[in-house]
DNA sequence: ACTATTAATGTATAGACAGCATGTC
DNA sequence: CTATACATTAATAGT
């Protein structure tokens, strides 16, 4: 089938496709068109990765808009939203507007209702439905990308319920579901009332195989000799072998540490193959990576990248990830060792994919658990760059012939598992039942059950009555916590229930927050009294901490870090501002939101149990709730890991350097970012709840939220709110005597200029943002700045350990990252 | 006695969505 | 109840 044979497309589109080089549709695409995707028919396309699934969706959306409709494209990750948007924007010349809506980004300009194609995550769509976004009922076509994710226990139910709601709101809605090849595609298609288009066809051939001994055996019976050499490392040999043919490779491993370790080893392999030009290109990239963050991870990554290897995992800052992905696509980075992040994320094809680890530790399982076939197939599907490679190679590694046979059996020959709905789990139903009631999809128990009956879960349950039972349990929970009211058969959401639903909170999180804030209000006087003594104890502890660190640190670098910490915490004890004025304290609130099911908690390492047990009793007066008994193992442990998370957030708001935080909590820069973002969201929700329930803590919550947002102590809140001023500049200004926004308007310009390290343009922007009448720095003399410059040097040493020669863009990098 | 190699022991384990109101150099 | 890779430390062999 050729583009001009496709019915229903806007005029000019087939010509445009031909100019893009599309002469002939891929077989699955043609099949989808025959099934009527461009004529409003629902279709489930279950085909391998990278075989033109998105194009099927595009055809459907274009034809739907052509008929006067509006399309929604649901993506599984925020990072994919912008990628898809950019892809769809090439249709703008045909009068098609594209908009994006995710938690952190919304298309500016016109309202989404004026857009023809909207790209959003499933959670965002769910949220928009809960908040009655008008355009939702105008939809004529919805695309669900990676629909097999309904199998995911955490996020699957949202996709499932959202699709159900969209179809209920809009009878006759065309559903185009895109899925990897799964075991029960028919069943999924049936659920969606869609025609199934299933195919194993790929635009580039994929050879799957297992490496064992000195050769890879492929599924087509062929063999390729790849001797392991003296190092005995299969991965190194395979990467070198690919490089001999000028190809890149992607290595999937099962932990962050392994990803980093593998990259460190592989850099010695890749270094051999670099040209001089590549070297200098990579050196530049390495510097960019270092500039993203001053954490150790950043340095390690830069060192690897300089030699042509990289690692990729969720502990990296998103900027890091982007740089690595881009460099890999541009082929300057020769190999990337990655955790599964990369298999799910943006498109990063590679000549050869090496699935080194096919088992992963699973705490619940209690050991190493083999990965799902689907997951391994996703990784292997990254092999082969369209138009560049003759074929892709995906290789598993085996140490003995037995494992080799087992791997062939388990992954190479095997079909993917069936997709199974995870909707009947309590946490999922808690959220979705409340939302279903609150947004008026059902107002009786029967109505709820009827709605649930249309989900995938209902079509595949083998345990009749289970859904009904869990529904009743959840309804009782929601009623007991005051989120719904039941009057006979009638169920309605309370005011607070509506709020919780709209805030997109797990009702259990909301309950925890409300309980905590109320508990705080009840114990306010008593706790404030207990806190009187705390600032001294706190100071003593801080001082002894600093000494300890001084003892164990040798060498120049450590010593300088030590100085910075000691000084910084010393400053704190001199001026105990956090614990004596407000209640609840920031730590108390951080702990509260951290023990919520919406916060992914930090893992307690060995020794942490003791550390945080001690910390817990010291800071007990600040915590909003009574400490669980140490004998209640699980509850106590959760309490402690929430405390650890809270301490990380507290450090962040005490202006502790990023690299100190990563070191202290054993996390990466990306994790800090994630925690900060989540805390910001939850504190925002807490503020709303406190306001709605008339709790006096709303002000304290707001301040804690602001402090997390800017990453500063409270005395900098005013300054950090000025555009162009982040935690570092605010601190400098403050130390130079500029303490408020008003000071920025009034103070001597030379002082300000000096605090901003003599950067005139920056200073002007800052002054303008602060509303100063005469922001110009033209008449300010460099020499006048001499005296305050000295003041500033001291200030800089105090907060940053001195010796910080960072350029403006560098300082701002971390700001932008976290802001 | 001292270093190089190896064995024993310890340790840690993937990922990432959402409110609201505006805007980084 | 289940594993594995890496890092660190202790033990052993070799010089």
């Amino acid at each position: 089938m050729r583009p001009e044979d496709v019915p229903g497309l806007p005029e000019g589109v087939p010509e445009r496709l031909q100019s893009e080089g599309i002469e002939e549709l891929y077989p699955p695409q043609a099949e989808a068109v025959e099934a009527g995707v461009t004529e409003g028919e629902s279709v489930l396309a279950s085909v391998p990765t990278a075989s033109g699934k998105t194009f099927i969706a595009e055809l459907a959306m274009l034809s739907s808009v052509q008929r006067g409709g509006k399309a929604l494209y649901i993506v599984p990750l925020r990072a994919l939203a912008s990628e898809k948007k950019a892809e769809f924007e090439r249709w703008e010349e045909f009068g098609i507007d594209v908009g994006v809506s995710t938690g952190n980004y919304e298309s500016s300009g016109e309202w989404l209702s004026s857009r023809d194609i909207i790209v959003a995550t499933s959670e965002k769509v769910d949220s928009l439905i809960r908040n009655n976004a008008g355009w939702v009922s105008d939809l004529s076509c919805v695309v669900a990308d990676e629909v097999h994710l309904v199998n995911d226990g955490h996020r699957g139910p949202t996709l499932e319920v959202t699709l159900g709601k969209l179809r209920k709101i809009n009878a006759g809605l065309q559903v185009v579901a895109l899925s990897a090849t799964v075991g029960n595609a028919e069943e999924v298609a049936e659920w969606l009332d869609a025609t199934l288009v299933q195919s194993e066809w790929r635009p580039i051939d994929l050879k799957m195989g297992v490496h064992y001994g000195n050769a890879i055996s492929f599924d087509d019976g062929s063999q390729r000799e790849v001797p392991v050499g003296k190092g005995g490392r299969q991965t190194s040999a395979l990467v070198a072998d690919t490089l001999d043919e000028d190809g890149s490779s992607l290595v999937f491993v099962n932990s962050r540490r392994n990803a980093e370790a593998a990259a460190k080893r592989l850099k010695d392999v890749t270094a051999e193959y670099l040209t001089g030009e590549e070297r200098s290109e990579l050196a530049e990239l390495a510097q960019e990576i270092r500039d993203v963050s001053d954490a150790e991870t950043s340095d390690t990554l830069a060192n690897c990248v300089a030699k042509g290897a990289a690692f990729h995992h969720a502990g990296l800052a998103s900027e890091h990830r982007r740089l690595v992905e881009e460099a890999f696509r541009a082929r300057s980075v020769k190999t990337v060792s990655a955790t599964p992040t990369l298999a799910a994320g943006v498109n990063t094809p590679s000549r050869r994919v090496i699935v080194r680890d096919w088992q992963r530790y699973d705490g619940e399982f209690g050991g190493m658990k083999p990965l799902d076939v689907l997951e391994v197939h996703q990784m292997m599907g990254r092999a082969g760059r369209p138009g560049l490679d003759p074929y892709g190679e995906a290789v598993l590694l085996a140490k003995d012939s037995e494992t080799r046979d087992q791997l062939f059996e388990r992954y190479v020959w095997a079909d993917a598992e069936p997709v199974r709905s995870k909707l009947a789990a309590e946490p999922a139903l808690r959220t979705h039942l409340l939302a279903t009631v609150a947004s008026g999809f059902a107002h009786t128990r029967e109505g709820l059950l009827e709605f649930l009956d249309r989900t995938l879960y209902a079509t595949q349950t083998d345990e009749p009555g289970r859904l009904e039972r869990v529904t009743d349990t959840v309804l009782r929970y929601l009623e007991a916590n005051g989120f719904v009211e039941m009057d006979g058969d009638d169920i309605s959401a309370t005011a607070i229930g509506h709020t919780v639903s709209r805030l997109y909170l797990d009702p259990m999180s909301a309950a925890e927050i409300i309980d905590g804030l109320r508990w705080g209000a009840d114990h306010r006087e008593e706790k404030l009294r207990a806190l009187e003594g705390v600032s001294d104890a706190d100071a003593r502890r801080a001082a002894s901490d600093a000494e300890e660190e001084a003892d164990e640190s040798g060498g120049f670098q450590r010593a300088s870090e030590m100085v910075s910490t000691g000084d910084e915490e010393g400053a704190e004890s001199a001026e105990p501002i956090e614990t004596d004025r407000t209640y609840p304290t920031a730590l108390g609130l951080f702990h509260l939101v951290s023990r919520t099911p919406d916060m992914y908690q930090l893992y307690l390492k060995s020794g942490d149990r003791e550390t945080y047990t001690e910390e817990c009793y010291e800071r007990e007066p600040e915590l909003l709730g009574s400490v669980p008994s140490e004998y209640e193992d699980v509850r106590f442990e959760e309490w402690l890991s929430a405390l650890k998370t809270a301490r990380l957030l507290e450090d962040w708001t005490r202006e502790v350097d990023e690299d100190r935080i990563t070191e202290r909590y054993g996390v990466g820069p990306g994790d800090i970012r994630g925690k900060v973002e989540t805390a910001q969201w939850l504190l925002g929700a807490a503020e709303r709840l406190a306001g709605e329930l008339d709790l006096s803590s709303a002000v304290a919550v707001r301040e804690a939220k602001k402090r997390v947002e800017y990453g500063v102590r409270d005395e900098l809140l005013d300054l950090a709110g000025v555009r162009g001023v982040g935690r570092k500049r605010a601190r400098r200004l403050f130390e130079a005597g500029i303490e408020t926004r008003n000071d920025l308007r009034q103070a001597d310009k030379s002082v300000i200029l000096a605090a901003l390290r003599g950067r005139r343009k920056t200073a002007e922007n800052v002054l303008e943002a602060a509303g100063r009448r005469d922001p110009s720095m033209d008449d300010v003399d460099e020499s006048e700045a001499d005296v305050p410059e000295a003041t500033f040097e001291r200030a800089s040493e105090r907060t940053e350990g001195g010796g910080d020669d960072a350029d403006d863009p560098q300082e701002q990098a971390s700001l932008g990252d976290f802001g």
Side-chain angles (χ1 to χ4, degrees), chain A residues 292 318-319 652 673 726 809-819:
Chain A
V292 170
S318 49
E319 189 80 352
W652 169 249
R673 206 203 80 101
Q810 236 162 303
E811 298 164 24
Q812 291 301 318
S814 65
L815 271 180
D817 232 20
F818 293 90

Side-chain angles (χ1 to χ4, degrees), chain A residues 2-5 9-23 91 93-94:
Chain A
R2 303 171 62 82
E4 63 266 30
D5 302 328
L9 292 180
E11 204 170 324
V13 168
E15 290 72 20
R16 169 66 197 262
L17 290 173
Q18 269 157 352
S19 78
E20 279 176 23
I22 300 175
E23 297 283 331
W91 303 115
E93 60 175 283
F94 299 94

Side-chain angles (χ1 to χ4, degrees), chain A residues 99-207:
Chain A
V100 181
S101 179
T102 65
N104 62 346
Y105 179 70
E106 186 125 12
S107 308
S108 50
E110 298 106 302
W111 289 92
L112 287 173
S113 53
S114 72
R115 302 293 160 134
D116 302 305
I117 295 177
I118 294 164
V119 184
T121 56
S122 47
E123 285 80 5
K124 187 63 187 189
V125 176
D126 188 18
S127 168
L128 288 164
I129 295 174
R130 295 183 188 194
N131 289 287
N132 305 314
W135 55 265
V136 171
S137 51
D138 300 337
L139 291 172
S140 56
C141 172
V142 60
V143 179
D145 199 1
E146 313 282 3
V147 82
H148 55 266
L149 289 173
V150 293
N151 191 56
D152 180 273
H154 184 50
R155 300 184 52 209
T158 307
L159 179 56
E160 189 178 339
V161 167
T162 302
L163 283 174
K165 285 184 180 168
L166 287 172
R167 295 176 69 201
K168 184 158 182 176
I169 293 172
N170 204 331
L173 177 70
Q174 177 188 18
V175 178
V176 178
L178 310 175
S179 165
T181 41
V182 296
N184 58 341
E186 300 87 357
E187 198 178 11
V188 178
E190 206 172 308
W191 163 54
L192 294 169
D193 297 314
T195 308
L196 175 62
V197 170
Q198 200 167 15
S199 164
E200 291 294 321
W201 185 91
R202 291 170 182 276
I204 314 175
D205 200 28
L206 175 64
K207 293 174 77 169

Side-chain angles (χ1 to χ4, degrees), chain A residues 587 591 612 615-616 623 639-647:
Chain A
L587 182 86
H591 185 255
Y612 291 100
E615 183 90 28
C616 173
L623 305 181
W639 187 267
L640 291 187
S641 55
L643 180 60
K644 185 178 178 183
T645 313
R647 283 285 288 115

Side-chain angles (χ1 to χ4, degrees), chain A residues 372-601:
Chain A
D372 284 350
V373 177
L374 185 62
E375 213 170 340
V376 172
H377 282 182
Q378 288 287 99
M379 296 177 190
M380 302 210 286
R382 294 271 135 151
R385 294 161 303 168
L388 291 170
D389 296 322
Y391 55 85
E393 287 176 343
V395 187
L396 288 147
L397 306 187
K399 284 198 180 58
D400 48 70
S401 63
E402 207 182 314
T403 313
R404 179 192 58 193
D405 299 343
Q406 196 194 337
L407 288 176
F408 262 101
E409 195 73 16
R410 185 188 272 279
Y411 294 115
V412 179
W413 303 130
D415 289 327
E417 297 82 4
V419 165
R420 301 213 47 102
S421 164
K422 303 292 189 292
L423 185 65
E426 260 183 56
L429 278 186
R430 226 162 35 212
T431 306
H432 292 297
L433 287 189
L434 176 60
T436 304
V437 171
S439 34
F441 282 91
H443 50 270
T444 59
R445 180 176 173 276
E446 281 61 43
L448 277 175
L449 289 170
E450 194 196 308
F451 175 76
L452 291 173
D453 203 42
R454 298 160 52 111
T455 59
L456 175 64
Y457 180 84
T459 70
Q460 50 180 205
T461 182
D462 43 10
E463 196 190 326
R466 159 120 194 240
L467 199 54
E468 203 169 336
R469 226 172 36 247
V470 185
T471 299
D472 287 332
T473 312
V474 167
L475 282 177
R476 270 198 302 279
Y477 175 86
L478 293 174
E479 190 186 22
N481 283 284
F483 298 132
V484 301
E485 274 170 345
M486 302 217 250
D487 182 16
D489 232 14
D490 212 55
I491 307 173
S492 57
T494 60
I496 204 76
H498 271 110
T499 304
V500 170
S501 167
R502 272 187 277 113
L503 287 172
Y504 213 76
L505 278 181
D506 181 333
M508 191 179 261
S509 298
E512 185 81 48
I513 289 170
I514 293 170
D515 281 356
L517 292 178
R518 285 200 173 127
W519 191 94
D522 291 345
H523 296 73
R524 188 187 166 84
E525 300 307 322
E526 166 203 337
K527 294 296 170 187
L528 270 173
R529 246 176 286 121
L531 281 169
E532 298 283 301
V534 158
S535 29
D536 300 334
D538 203 33
R540 269 198 306 279
R541 183 187 48 78
S544 74
D545 268 8
E547 269 170 47
E548 255 171 57
E549 273 169 45
D551 287 345
E552 72 195 26
S553 57
F556 174 72
Q557 207 181 339
R558 292 283 309 196
S560 77
E561 279 177 345
M562 187 271 293
V563 168
S564 103
T565 328
D567 252 36
E568 178 200 326
E569 307 227 356
E572 185 189 322
S573 57
E575 198 187 347
I577 32 150
E578 323 208 8
T579 49
D580 63 352
R581 247 188 268 143
T582 52
Y583 185 83
T585 63
L587 182 86
L589 292 166
F590 295 158
H591 185 255
L592 179 60
V593 298
S594 297
R595 61 186 202 239
T596 257
D598 276 310
M599 177 74 86
Y600 185 85
Q601 284 170 1

Side-chain angles (χ1 to χ4, degrees), chain A residues 169-388:
Chain A
I169 293 172
N170 204 331
L173 177 70
Q174 177 188 18
V175 178
V176 178
L178 310 175
S179 165
T181 41
V182 296
N184 58 341
E186 300 87 357
E187 198 178 11
V188 178
E190 206 172 308
W191 163 54
L192 294 169
D193 297 314
T195 308
L196 175 62
V197 170
Q198 200 167 15
S199 164
E200 291 294 321
W201 185 91
R202 291 170 182 276
I204 314 175
D205 200 28
L206 175 64
K207 293 174 77 169
M208 293 187 278
V210 178
H211 182 262
Y212 156 65
N214 290 321
I216 312 173
S217 325
F218 285 107
D219 53 350
D220 60 4
S222 68
Q223 291 226 331
R224 183 188 172 92
E225 206 179 319
V226 184
V228 289
K230 50 185 180 312
R233 290 279 180 188
Q234 290 173 287
T235 314
S236 303
L238 286 162
V239 168
D241 178 64
T242 322
L243 275 169
D244 286 336
E245 290 178 7
D246 201 27
S248 56
S249 31
L250 201 50
V251 183
F252 284 106
V253 298
N254 63 4
S255 73
R256 294 178 179 188
R257 217 170 61 150
N258 283 340
E260 296 190 18
K264 280 184 201 166
R265 272 195 309 271
L266 290 172
K267 74 177 194 293
D268 298 327
V269 177
T270 52
E272 306 279 308
Y273 291 84
L274 298 176
T275 64
E277 197 184 324
E278 283 173 327
R279 264 172 220 285
S280 58
E281 213 173 288
L282 288 168
E284 225 170 274
L285 178 63
Q287 189 51 51
E288 268 185 83
I289 287 171
R290 269 183 247 272
D291 288 349
V292 170
S293 138
D294 51 7
E296 199 190 329
T297 322
S298 202
D299 224 43
T300 315
L301 181 61
N303 290 337
C304 293
V305 164
K307 293 188 170 180
F311 55 87
H312 188 288
H313 57 64
L316 295 182
S318 49
E319 189 80 352
H320 282 143
R321 291 200 230 174
R322 211 204 68 228
L323 289 168
V324 169
E325 288 157 12
E326 279 174 5
F328 187 64
R329 268 196 300 266
R331 310 188 61 192
S332 49
V333 163
K334 305 295 176 195
T335 177
V336 176
S337 324
T339 56
T341 12
L342 207 60
V346 296
N347 195 26
T348 47
S350 167
R351 163 81 64 83
R352 181 175 281 171
V353 167
I354 300 159
V355 182
R356 195 194 76 175
D357 300 338
W358 51 277
Q359 300 188 98
R360 186 165 50 233
Y361 181 84
D362 181 335
E364 273 170 53
F365 186 72
M368 297 304 272
K369 194 178 174 180
L371 299 185
D372 284 350
V373 177
L374 185 62
E375 213 170 340
V376 172
H377 282 182
Q378 288 287 99
M379 296 177 190
M380 302 210 286
R382 294 271 135 151
R385 294 161 303 168
L388 291 170

